[in-house]
Amino acid sequence: MQRRELLKHLAAASLAGTAGHLLAAPAAQGNKLLLVFLRGGYDGASLLVPHTSPFYYEARPRIAVPKPGAPNGALPLDLRWGLHPALADSMMPLYAKGQLAFLPFAGTDDLSRSHFETQDAIEFGQAPVGRRDYRSGFLNRLATVLNDGRSAPEAIAFTSQMPIVLRGDAKAANVTLNAAGRPAIDDRQSKVIQAMYRDTPLGPAVAEGFEVRDAIARSIKAEMDDASRNALTAKGFELVARRMARLMRERFDIAFVDVGGWDTHVGQGAGTGYLASRLEELGRGVAGFAQEIGDDTWRNTVVVVISEFGRTFRENGTGGTDHGHGTVYWVLGGSLSAQAGGHVIGEQVDVSQPALFQNRDWPVLNEYRAVFAGLFARMYGLSPSQLDRVFAGVTPRDLQLV
């Protein structure tokens, strides 16, 4: 095989790592973290419904989720907030068990309202002003801090390309799970490539990269075989999420996945419609992940669902919403604290016109880096100096999540 052809095949491979490596170091024991990124800026004010706010219904005459008790109405969470009815079967049971919390008025201080700029800024996790290190994402920095020299957490992105959030010095893998097709490099080519690199410094990394690729393929094949016998009905994101859970249960400690389709400028819907369908699919997937990972591992797992920003509070002229600012984060896990699980948490304000940011959006009162820093301090026992290596210059916000 010519070197040029080899490089083409390597570029097409489904697994790739940062810093020129194909695989992470041996798995570390302990807590597991999954970050779910909703790309497109989802409408938190439809997910978490301020059903006691007259302004909410004035500002959204066509797309407001009806009050609790009405047809397709919100599911009451407390005296102030309700949950979108599309999540009745998936998220409400976890909320009732104290394994789910919602954090409204969350987000970044970035004001560009650009999908790509804000997504990148969040994944970098660096100060919005000053010099930026374009090689460093915040989950990779977390993995670097957690590497104690004896064992390192294994990090993976369930994406076709390595996301910014996992770029950096720590080794990481990426693989797409939405299809189980033929690998870009077959067994014969794999052996040729390994032979070419066997006696070079890259030899161990290349061999380990193919080993993990094959392990993931075997896991997916086993799941598909089970599906044939047991009539598995999971579709869409739920199928991917269950595959993710199996891999995290068996091997990986830090993971990332992104889900698109949240840019609802037109025809957003209310208790039913386009956004409701997306939320239902997402909820089924997250609930399927929690079930598939198993009770023992779920007790040591935290899932955080975020988006680059929220939507405008008022509906637009086409029955949708435009790019906004503050949004709602989800935090799930089997060991959420009694202060967090089954609650709407964090700093909040009344949902009214004077409270809007720039008279259009939810404000950001719970800045994401501070929230994640507080979570990492509790999950991993990180010191202030260690947290500063993940989020430089940030004061952690301890919401007692776990």
Side-chain angles (χ1 to χ4, degrees), residues 261-276:
W262 303 97
D263 197 18
T264 52
H265 288 284
V266 178
Q268 177 174 304
T272 60
Y274 175 79
L275 180 59

PDB file of all heavy atoms in Angstrom, residues 261-276:
ATOM      1  N   GLY A 261     -31.040  19.916  15.023  1.00  0.00           N
ATOM      2  CA  GLY A 261     -32.439  20.102  14.672  1.00  0.00           C
ATOM      3  C   GLY A 261     -33.239  20.980  15.611  1.00  0.00           C
ATOM      4  O   GLY A 261     -34.469  20.840  15.681  1.00  0.00           O
ATOM      5  N   TRP A 262     -32.600  21.915  16.305  1.00  0.00           N
ATOM      6  CA  TRP A 262     -33.299  22.701  17.330  1.00  0.00           C
ATOM      7  C   TRP A 262     -33.508  24.161  16.941  1.00  0.00           C
ATOM      8  O   TRP A 262     -33.949  24.959  17.775  1.00  0.00           O
ATOM      9  CB  TRP A 262     -32.522  22.622  18.645  1.00  0.00           C
ATOM     10  CG  TRP A 262     -32.340  21.206  19.086  1.00  0.00           C
ATOM     11  CD1 TRP A 262     -31.254  20.409  18.884  1.00  0.00           C
ATOM     12  CD2 TRP A 262     -33.298  20.394  19.768  1.00  0.00           C
ATOM     13  NE1 TRP A 262     -31.467  19.155  19.401  1.00  0.00           N
ATOM     14  CE2 TRP A 262     -32.718  19.116  19.951  1.00  0.00           C
ATOM     15  CE3 TRP A 262     -34.595  20.619  20.255  1.00  0.00           C
ATOM     16  CZ2 TRP A 262     -33.378  18.069  20.584  1.00  0.00           C
ATOM     17  CZ3 TRP A 262     -35.253  19.575  20.887  1.00  0.00           C
ATOM     18  CH2 TRP A 262     -34.645  18.325  21.049  1.00  0.00           C
ATOM     19  N   ASP A 263     -33.213  24.515  15.691  1.00  0.00           N
ATOM     20  CA  ASP A 263     -33.304  25.911  15.256  1.00  0.00           C
ATOM     21  C   ASP A 263     -34.711  26.183  14.725  1.00  0.00           C
ATOM     22  O   ASP A 263     -34.971  26.144  13.521  1.00  0.00           O
ATOM     23  CB  ASP A 263     -32.248  26.154  14.173  1.00  0.00           C
ATOM     24  CG  ASP A 263     -31.971  27.629  13.948  1.00  0.00           C
ATOM     25  OD1 ASP A 263     -32.319  28.444  14.816  1.00  0.00           O
ATOM     26  OD2 ASP A 263     -31.396  27.966  12.890  1.00  0.00           O
ATOM     27  N   THR A 264     -35.630  26.490  15.623  1.00  0.00           N
ATOM     28  CA  THR A 264     -37.067  26.511  15.301  1.00  0.00           C
ATOM     29  C   THR A 264     -37.558  27.910  14.963  1.00  0.00           C
ATOM     30  O   THR A 264     -38.318  28.521  15.708  1.00  0.00           O
ATOM     31  CB  THR A 264     -37.875  25.940  16.481  1.00  0.00           C
ATOM     32  OG1 THR A 264     -37.497  26.635  17.697  1.00  0.00           O
ATOM     33  CG2 THR A 264     -37.589  24.465  16.664  1.00  0.00           C
ATOM     34  N   HIS A 265     -37.126  28.420  13.815  1.00  0.00           N
ATOM     35  CA  HIS A 265     -37.589  29.744  13.388  1.00  0.00           C
ATOM     36  C   HIS A 265     -39.030  29.729  12.887  1.00  0.00           C
ATOM     37  O   HIS A 265     -39.722  30.745  12.936  1.00  0.00           O
ATOM     38  CB  HIS A 265     -36.686  30.271  12.271  1.00  0.00           C
ATOM     39  CG  HIS A 265     -35.328  30.680  12.718  1.00  0.00           C
ATOM     40  ND1 HIS A 265     -35.070  31.858  13.389  1.00  0.00           N
ATOM     41  CD2 HIS A 265     -34.132  30.048  12.600  1.00  0.00           C
ATOM     42  CE1 HIS A 265     -33.788  31.956  13.650  1.00  0.00           C
ATOM     43  NE2 HIS A 265     -33.190  30.867  13.178  1.00  0.00           N
ATOM     44  N   VAL A 266     -39.496  28.587  12.391  1.00  0.00           N
ATOM     45  CA  VAL A 266     -40.805  28.496  11.746  1.00  0.00           C
ATOM     46  C   VAL A 266     -41.537  27.274  12.288  1.00  0.00           C
ATOM     47  O   VAL A 266     -40.948  26.204  12.465  1.00  0.00           O
ATOM     48  CB  VAL A 266     -40.650  28.369  10.208  1.00  0.00           C
ATOM     49  CG1 VAL A 266     -42.007  28.236   9.548  1.00  0.00           C
ATOM     50  CG2 VAL A 266     -39.873  29.544   9.640  1.00  0.00           C
ATOM     51  N   GLY A 267     -42.843  27.439  12.542  1.00  0.00           N
ATOM     52  CA  GLY A 267     -43.692  26.298  12.862  1.00  0.00           C
ATOM     53  C   GLY A 267     -43.213  25.477  14.040  1.00  0.00           C
ATOM     54  O   GLY A 267     -43.212  24.247  13.985  1.00  0.00           O
ATOM     55  N   GLN A 268     -42.867  26.134  15.115  1.00  0.00           N
ATOM     56  CA  GLN A 268     -42.321  25.438  16.280  1.00  0.00           C
ATOM     57  C   GLN A 268     -43.335  24.535  16.963  1.00  0.00           C
ATOM     58  O   GLN A 268     -43.004  23.452  17.432  1.00  0.00           O
ATOM     59  CB  GLN A 268     -41.784  26.487  17.274  1.00  0.00           C
ATOM     60  CG  GLN A 268     -41.243  25.921  18.558  1.00  0.00           C
ATOM     61  CD  GLN A 268     -40.602  27.004  19.419  1.00  0.00           C
ATOM     62  OE1 GLN A 268     -39.704  27.719  18.978  1.00  0.00           O
ATOM     63  NE2 GLN A 268     -41.079  27.145  20.655  1.00  0.00           N
ATOM     64  N   GLY A 269     -44.585  24.980  17.008  1.00  0.00           N
ATOM     65  CA  GLY A 269     -45.609  24.216  17.703  1.00  0.00           C
ATOM     66  C   GLY A 269     -45.663  24.553  19.179  1.00  0.00           C
ATOM     67  O   GLY A 269     -44.856  25.330  19.712  1.00  0.00           O
ATOM     68  N   ALA A 270     -46.617  23.964  19.862  1.00  0.00           N
ATOM     69  CA  ALA A 270     -46.806  24.224  21.298  1.00  0.00           C
ATOM     70  C   ALA A 270     -46.726  22.906  22.058  1.00  0.00           C
ATOM     71  O   ALA A 270     -45.660  22.303  22.156  1.00  0.00           O
ATOM     72  CB  ALA A 270     -48.151  24.932  21.520  1.00  0.00           C
ATOM     73  N   GLY A 271     -47.877  22.428  22.595  1.00  0.00           N
ATOM     74  CA  GLY A 271     -47.875  21.144  23.271  1.00  0.00           C
ATOM     75  C   GLY A 271     -47.686  19.984  22.315  1.00  0.00           C
ATOM     76  O   GLY A 271     -47.293  18.880  22.717  1.00  0.00           O
ATOM     77  N   THR A 272     -47.959  20.218  21.037  1.00  0.00           N
ATOM     78  CA  THR A 272     -47.686  19.248  19.980  1.00  0.00           C
ATOM     79  C   THR A 272     -46.979  19.990  18.848  1.00  0.00           C
ATOM     80  O   THR A 272     -46.848  21.210  18.867  1.00  0.00           O
ATOM     81  CB  THR A 272     -48.984  18.620  19.444  1.00  0.00           C
ATOM     82  OG1 THR A 272     -49.826  19.670  18.919  1.00  0.00           O
ATOM     83  CG2 THR A 272     -49.736  17.886  20.553  1.00  0.00           C
ATOM     84  N   GLY A 273     -46.524  19.247  17.849  1.00  0.00           N
ATOM     85  CA  GLY A 273     -45.872  19.882  16.715  1.00  0.00           C
ATOM     86  C   GLY A 273     -44.406  19.487  16.612  1.00  0.00           C
ATOM     87  O   GLY A 273     -43.946  18.525  17.224  1.00  0.00           O
ATOM     88  N   TYR A 274     -43.656  20.266  15.833  1.00  0.00           N
ATOM     89  CA  TYR A 274     -42.268  19.915  15.512  1.00  0.00           C
ATOM     90  C   TYR A 274     -41.411  19.817  16.767  1.00  0.00           C
ATOM     91  O   TYR A 274     -40.720  18.808  16.982  1.00  0.00           O
ATOM     92  CB  TYR A 274     -41.668  20.935  14.544  1.00  0.00           C
ATOM     93  CG  TYR A 274     -40.196  20.681  14.286  1.00  0.00           C
ATOM     94  CD1 TYR A 274     -39.796  19.693  13.396  1.00  0.00           C
ATOM     95  CD2 TYR A 274     -39.216  21.410  14.963  1.00  0.00           C
ATOM     96  CE1 TYR A 274     -38.443  19.430  13.174  1.00  0.00           C
ATOM     97  CE2 TYR A 274     -37.872  21.154  14.752  1.00  0.00           C
ATOM     98  CZ  TYR A 274     -37.493  20.174  13.854  1.00  0.00           C
ATOM     99  OH  TYR A 274     -36.158  19.919  13.655  1.00  0.00           O
ATOM    100  N   LEU A 275     -41.389  20.862  17.576  1.00  0.00           N
ATOM    101  CA  LEU A 275     -40.529  20.844  18.753  1.00  0.00           C
ATOM    102  C   LEU A 275     -40.942  19.741  19.720  1.00  0.00           C
ATOM    103  O   LEU A 275     -40.079  19.076  20.320  1.00  0.00           O
ATOM    104  CB  LEU A 275     -40.550  22.200  19.456  1.00  0.00           C
ATOM    105  CG  LEU A 275     -39.672  22.309  20.708  1.00  0.00           C
ATOM    106  CD1 LEU A 275     -38.214  22.027  20.377  1.00  0.00           C
ATOM    107  CD2 LEU A 275     -39.821  23.681  21.362  1.00  0.00           C
ATOM    108  N   ALA A 276     -42.219  19.518  19.871  1.00  0.00           N
ATOM    109  CA  ALA A 276     -42.687  18.439  20.745  1.00  0.00           C
ATOM    110  C   ALA A 276     -42.132  17.096  20.298  1.00  0.00           C
ATOM    111  O   ALA A 276     -41.708  16.271  21.128  1.00  0.00           O
ATOM    112  CB  ALA A 276     -44.215  18.409  20.771  1.00  0.00           C
TER     113      ALA A 276
END
